[in-house]
Amino acid sequence: MNLLFKALGDPTRRQIIDLLRKRDMNAGEIADYFSISKPSISHHLDLLKQANVVLSIKEGQFITYSLNTTVFDEMVKWVIDISDKQTKKARSKK
Amino acid sequence: MNLLFKALGDPTRRQIIDLLRKRDMNAGEIADYFSISKPSISHHLDLLKQANVVLSIKEGQFITYSLNTTVFDEMVKWVIDISDKQTKKARSKK
DNA sequence: AAAGTATTTAGACATTTGCCTAAATATATA
DNA sequence: TATATATTTAGGCAAATGTCTAAATACTTT
């Protein structure tokens, strides 16, 4: 979960996620959306991969990246849980 | 949203959130749960406050911290949105 | 096989982060 | 008013992060 939050804590990486939401893309296509170097994008993609937010498959010369939204499940559960406890606390106060 | 993800990207800060889920606490009480120094905890609390995850009110000599779960709403919306687009994509593929 | 294209790895550098101790501020109590 | 308690602010330091350029790797095309 720490890797996930760390991964989401950078605007470039969240933009990459937003891009992949629309369609799968290869590293070069993704890089074209940004003004930072390809190695930097590659590094961001690596962190997203480590956090399990994206999956990659090699297709010949290209590497196609896609979103893996299942990792968000645990995160949402965590958040819901917090909000839930809070709701209970608020209710019992009244 | 960046401050929020940054705030959540540290285990100590997530533990603080977990503590405040059960009840409001003052800075000293929170610090007692950790083996790091009080100034460090104070710093973590400041970041959580900047991210709007916690609220603080001064009560005499003490400062009581409480959770503000409303900030998670936007985050959950963002995540749901991503998962939703993905679901649609998956459906249309089939 | 050589040259071109796509991507990553390596290594350097500045900035940010998380931690610490010492000092400052604010309130409470003797 | 002097002292104790609660918390933050200041300043320093090592490690992590985000960026870059140059070089390496892998595949494709001529």
Side-chain angles (χ1 to χ4, degrees):
Chain A
M1 193 117 102
N2 206 52
L3 283 180
L4 177 57
F5 280 125
K6 285 258 177 92
L8 297 176
D10 176 273
T12 300
R13 289 193 288 268
R14 286 201 305 282
Q15 275 183 261
I16 291 175
I17 291 172
D18 273 340
L19 285 174
L20 293 179
R21 196 168 79 164
K22 296 172 192 87
R23 64 180 181 85
D24 298 353
M25 295 173 87
N26 62 52
E29 287 176 316
I30 293 168
D32 286 345
Y33 280 87
F34 300 89
S35 48
I36 62 184
S37 73
K38 279 176 190 192
S40 293
I41 293 294
S42 182
H43 182 54
H44 283 307
L45 287 170
D46 187 45
L47 293 177
L48 288 169
K49 213 158 62 175
Q50 279 178 48
N52 239 293
V53 178
V54 306
L55 307 170
S56 70
I57 54 165
K58 188 154 201 171
E59 295 188 326
Q61 198 174 10
F62 301 86
I63 297 178
T64 299
Y65 285 87
S66 60
L67 265 189
N68 171 32
T69 57
T70 63
V71 280
F72 293 115
D73 295 354
E74 193 196 351
M75 192 184 103
V76 170
K77 234 177 277 175
W78 185 79
V79 172
I80 297 284
D81 202 36
I82 287 166
S83 305
D84 193 45
K85 292 277 161 84
Q86 278 298 106
T87 305
K88 276 178 194 162
K89 197 168 80 178
R91 253 205 311 274
S92 69
K93 250 184 205 161
K94 258 234 106 188
Chain B
M1 192 117 105
N2 206 50
L3 284 179
L4 177 57
F5 280 125
K6 286 259 177 93
L8 298 176
D10 176 273
T12 301
R13 288 194 289 270
R14 287 201 305 282
Q15 274 184 260
I16 291 175
I17 291 172
D18 273 340
L19 284 175
L20 293 179
R21 195 167 80 163
K22 297 175 191 84
R23 65 179 179 87
D24 299 351
M25 294 172 87
N26 62 51
E29 287 176 316
I30 293 168
D32 286 344
Y33 280 86
F34 300 89
S35 48
I36 62 184
S37 72
K38 280 178 187 191
S40 292
I41 293 294
S42 182
H43 181 56
H44 283 306
L45 287 170
D46 186 45
L47 293 178
L48 287 169
K49 212 158 62 176
Q50 279 178 47
N52 240 292
V53 178
V54 306
L55 307 170
S56 69
I57 52 166
K58 187 151 204 172
E59 294 187 326
Q61 198 175 9
F62 302 84
I63 298 178
T64 298
Y65 285 87
S66 61
L67 265 189
N68 171 32
T69 56
T70 64
V71 282
F72 293 115
D73 294 355
E74 192 195 352
M75 192 183 104
V76 170
K77 236 178 275 175
W78 184 80
V79 172
I80 297 283
D81 202 35
I82 287 166
S83 305
D84 193 45
K85 292 275 160 87
Q86 279 298 105
T87 304
K88 277 177 194 162
K89 200 169 79 180
R91 255 206 307 275
S92 67
K93 250 185 206 160
K94 256 242 109 186

